[in-house]
Amino acid sequence: MPSFLFTTWDGGGNVPPVLGVAARLHRRGHQVRVLGHPQQRAAVEAAGLAFEPYRHAGRWSATAPTSAARWAWNYVRLFTSKRSTADVIEAHRRSPADVMVLDCMLLGPFLAAQRLGVPHVALMHTVYGYLGGSFSSGAVGFVGRLRGMGPTRLWAKADLSILAGLADLDEATSVPSTLRYAGPVWPMGAPAPVRHEAAQPRILVSLSTIFYAGQTAVLQSVLDAVADLPVQVVLTTGHATAPEDVRAPANVAVHRFVPHAEILPTVSLVIGHAGHSTTMLALAHDLPLVLIPMSPLGDQPDVARAVAGQGAAEVLARSASVAEIRAAITRMLADGPHREAAARLGAQIRAADGADTAADLIEQLA
């Protein structure tokens, strides 16, 4: 049986596709290892997978508070570092892999795979409109090209690119000939998405598990907006904001973490930051969204624009007032074409089995 080496980094929505696809291959009897940041060991091993920590890549935290400028530079440095190149080469020499499946944003491992001549897959976990657009043309692409790691050039040399999403939610004008859309991949252990049947108005609010400057202030504006509405709200703050950092009205239950897949069948609206993973999971339950992108530098504006273009979301700026947020929530809680649009996308997502499709494609390459 062929062996596979996956690479990942400790982020948010990039992790479920890696663990979901890797676990599916492992269940089929293949040897699978995951190379990641040391703090990811527990999550990887909980999925039944062998884990190896980066030894050369520097320390990394997606939840540590920092300034907006430092936050942006930290991500550029993470994605364009060549230290992970050495980690992948050493991991392969310890135990050769037949195929490498590489997180598309971490560019160093692509250099390793291409130097070693190992067949490899670019695993993409957000819309290609962003990856081939501002990711590749912005700061990451600029620094990457200076270091001999232009993203689109590296991906073009991969034997296969797999995107864990829907083509209908991608506004890219052109995609690589090797790109295949597999469908979203859910977090390990999450119940399968179901058709939405919640009977009472209830809202899930989640603005990412990782740190974004100004995130707590936006959460507070959302809480102030729902305070006077006849609706129950569940707020998950994630790791970057503590529950005690916000003032919650009586109709809001605040948690640091609750698996979204358990809550989504019970709500009728999601307020999110337009992260690809959470947005796809909400749509998989036929749920419309109010989207407030937390960073103009990431994929969130592209994801928000794509979902709004399909009629299933309303997009607000981080600077939106309490009154503007309340008005958007009221509109999206009501019946209307936005619910029909969300249900249409939900049916497409449920019909796709992203983990199985991706595993099939990778096996064919092996």
Side-chain angles (χ1 to χ4, degrees), residues 14 18 53 97 107 121 147-148 166 174 189 231 244 258-259 266 268 275 281 283 286 291 305 307 311 322 332 358 363:
N14 65 301
V18 168
L107 303 178
V121 177
R147 296 178 176 178
L166 289 182
S174 63
V231 63
E244 58 268 23
V258 177
T266 73
S268 48
L281 192 55
L283 289 173
D286 297 348
L291 296 174
R305 186 169 55 250
V307 179
V322 170
M332 298 304 281
E363 281 184 328

Side-chain angles (χ1 to χ4, degrees), residues 86 277 336:
S277 181

Side-chain angles (χ1 to χ4, degrees), residues 221-248:
S221 294
V222 173
L223 294 183
D224 294 342
V226 301
D228 300 327
L229 296 178
V231 63
Q232 294 299 308
V233 179
V234 178
L235 166 66
T236 58
T237 64
H239 302 294
T241 298
E244 58 268 23
D245 292 339
V246 295
R247 303 180 309 277

Side-chain angles (χ1 to χ4, degrees), residues 10-31:
D10 188 24
N14 65 301
V15 178
V18 168
L19 297 187
V21 176
R24 197 63 56 94
L25 289 168
H26 176 66
R27 289 174 193 166
R28 295 181 181 185
H30 301 294
Q31 297 180 12

Side-chain angles (χ1 to χ4, degrees), residues 22 26 58 77 79 86-87 90-91 108 115 124 127 143 145 149 183 264 278 300-301 308 351 354:
H26 176 66
R77 184 173 56 184
F79 294 150
D87 281 311
E90 290 181 6
R115 288 175 183 174
M124 299 179 170
V127 292
V143 176
R145 285 188 290 275
M149 297 186 292
L264 289 171
T278 300
Q300 298 158 28

